[in-house]
Structures are given as C-alpha cells and as structure tokens.
Amino acid sequence: MIVAYLEKRNDAVSRQLHEILGERSGREPVLDVFSNLERKTEAENFRGCAFLIAAIENPQSPEILKTARDHKSFLKDFFVQALGVEADDATAEQLLLLYEGALAGSVLRRDARSATTAKAIVAKLLLTPANDQARSTSMRPSASL
C-alpha cells in the first residue's frame, strides 16, 4: 500500500515538474522549480518528502527503499533535463541535494526559508561560469585519504 502511494506521488511530482519546465531548459526554469518548492513548503498542509518519510519509517522494506531511491533518481535526471545544454552530472547532483535539503529543512521550520535559501544558492550556482575540471574533480573521491 505504501509503495502504491509513493508511485502515485512520483507520478504527481513528475507531472508538476514537467509542467513547470515545459519545453524550456536552463537557469530560469530551474529557478522556477525552486520557486514552486517555496510555495509548497509554506503551505499549511506541507508535511515533508513522502519518500524520505516512508524510507525512514520502513528501513526493512526493500520495495519502499527502492521506490524512494527511484524517485530521487528521477529527480536527478529531471535536473539534467532542466539544465539542458548546461547539464553535467555534478550540477544535477548539487541541485538534487539543495532540493532534498530544502524539503527536509522545511518540515521542522514550518515555513519556506529553507526553500528560499536553496533557491538563492541555485541562482548563484547557475550564474557561476562552468568549470568542468573543477566540478569533476570535486565530485571524485580523493585517492589519498
């Protein structure tokens, strides 16, 4: 039953994000996604990320964990699509982390500050000229630990 609910949530989130994106890609549509996140997290009925909550409450369920992980994979792929020609794996991973962090931070704060902060970071991140060497190096594990 939880997996069916999560699959339904995934479909709803996917539809909503693709509606925001439309046929666009780049900085503005990504910022629009975070603006939408601000609206969601300030809503009175906001309770957090259903996928994270389900995974935390059911760590023994491989089906629930897989469904939650699949959703996070979808989100990362979505950010790659949203970035368009500027897409790279490291930036998509950073956007995913900011998105997830804003969702988690908003649960206890009961306002949109986490999403607003994440959006401001995204705006700066996407204004920074792409430095593929620095990005790829920062995402690789260090050989000398």
Side-chain angles (χ1 to χ4, degrees), residues 6 16 33 36 46 59 69 73 76 86 139-140 142 144:
L6 292 176
Q16 184 181 54
V33 167
N36 181 65
F46 176 75
R69 286 185 186 114
S73 277
K76 183 176 177 187
E86 301 171 19
M139 294 303 291
R140 270 191 238 133
S142 174
S144 60

Coordinates of all heavy atoms in Angstrom, one line a residue, residues 6 16 33 36 46 59 69 73 76 86 139-140 142 144:
L6 N 3.4 5.9 -2.9 CA 4.6 6.6 -3.4 C 4.7 6.6 -4.9 O 5.1 7.6 -5.5 CB 5.9 5.9 -2.8 CG 6.1 6.0 -1.3 CD1 7.3 5.2 -0.9 CD2 6.2 7.4 -0.9
Q16 N 3.9 17.6 -12.3 CA 4.1 19.0 -11.8 C 5.4 19.6 -12.3 O 5.4 20.7 -12.8 CB 3.9 19.1 -10.3 CG 4.0 20.5 -9.8 CD 3.8 20.6 -8.3 OE1 4.6 20.0 -7.6 NE2 2.9 21.4 -7.8
V33 N 11.4 25.9 -10.7 CA 11.2 24.7 -9.9 C 11.4 25.0 -8.4 O 10.6 24.6 -7.5 CB 12.2 23.6 -10.3 CG1 12.2 22.4 -9.3 CG2 11.8 23.1 -11.7
N36 N 8.5 27.0 -7.0 CA 7.4 26.1 -6.8 C 7.6 25.4 -5.4 O 6.7 25.3 -4.6 CB 7.3 25.1 -7.9 CG 6.1 24.2 -7.6 OD1 5.0 24.6 -7.6 ND2 6.4 22.9 -7.4
F46 N 1.8 21.2 4.2 CA 3.0 20.6 3.9 C 3.6 19.7 5.0 O 3.6 20.1 6.2 CB 4.1 21.7 3.5 CG 5.4 21.1 3.2 CD1 5.7 20.4 2.0 CD2 6.5 21.2 4.2 CE1 7.0 19.9 1.8 CE2 7.7 20.7 3.9 CZ 8.0 20.0 2.7
P59 N 12.7 1.1 7.1 CA 14.0 0.7 6.6 C 14.2 -0.8 6.3 O 15.1 -1.1 5.5 CB 14.9 1.1 7.8 CG 14.1 1.0 9.0 CD 12.7 1.4 8.5
R69 N 14.3 5.5 -3.7 CA 15.6 5.7 -4.5 C 15.3 6.0 -5.9 O 15.9 6.9 -6.5 CB 16.5 4.5 -4.3 CG 17.2 4.4 -3.0 CD 18.2 3.3 -3.0 NE 18.7 3.1 -1.6 CZ 18.5 2.1 -0.9 NH1 17.8 1.0 -1.3 NH2 19.0 2.0 0.4
S73 N 16.3 9.2 -8.1 CA 17.0 9.1 -9.5 C 16.2 9.9 -10.5 O 16.8 10.6 -11.3 CB 17.0 7.7 -9.9 OG 18.1 7.0 -9.3
K76 N 17.1 13.6 -10.1 CA 18.4 13.9 -10.6 C 18.3 14.0 -12.2 O 18.8 14.9 -12.8 CB 19.4 13.0 -10.2 CG 20.8 13.3 -10.7 CD 21.9 12.4 -10.2 CE 23.2 12.8 -10.7 NZ 24.2 11.8 -10.4
E86 N 23.6 23.0 -20.6 CA 24.5 23.3 -19.5 C 24.6 22.1 -18.5 O 25.3 22.2 -17.5 CB 24.0 24.5 -18.7 CG 23.9 25.7 -19.5 CD 23.3 26.9 -18.8 OE1 23.2 26.8 -17.6 OE2 22.8 27.8 -19.5
M139 N 33.9 16.2 -7.4 CA 33.0 15.0 -7.3 C 33.7 13.7 -7.2 O 33.1 12.7 -6.9 CB 32.0 15.0 -8.4 CG 31.0 16.2 -8.4 SD 30.1 16.4 -6.9 CE 29.0 15.0 -7.0
R140 N 35.0 13.7 -7.5 CA 35.8 12.4 -7.4 C 36.3 12.2 -6.0 O 36.8 13.1 -5.4 CB 37.0 12.5 -8.3 CG 36.6 12.0 -9.7 CD 37.9 11.8 -10.5 NE 37.7 12.7 -11.7 CZ 38.6 13.5 -12.1 NH1 39.8 13.6 -11.6 NH2 38.4 14.2 -13.2
S142 N 38.8 11.4 -3.2 CA 40.3 11.6 -3.1 C 41.0 10.3 -3.0 O 40.6 9.4 -2.3 CB 40.6 12.5 -1.9 OG 42.0 12.6 -1.7
S144 N 44.0 10.0 -1.9 CA 44.9 10.0 -0.7 C 44.1 10.4 0.6 O 44.1 11.5 1.0 CB 46.1 10.9 -0.9 OG 45.6 12.2 -1.1

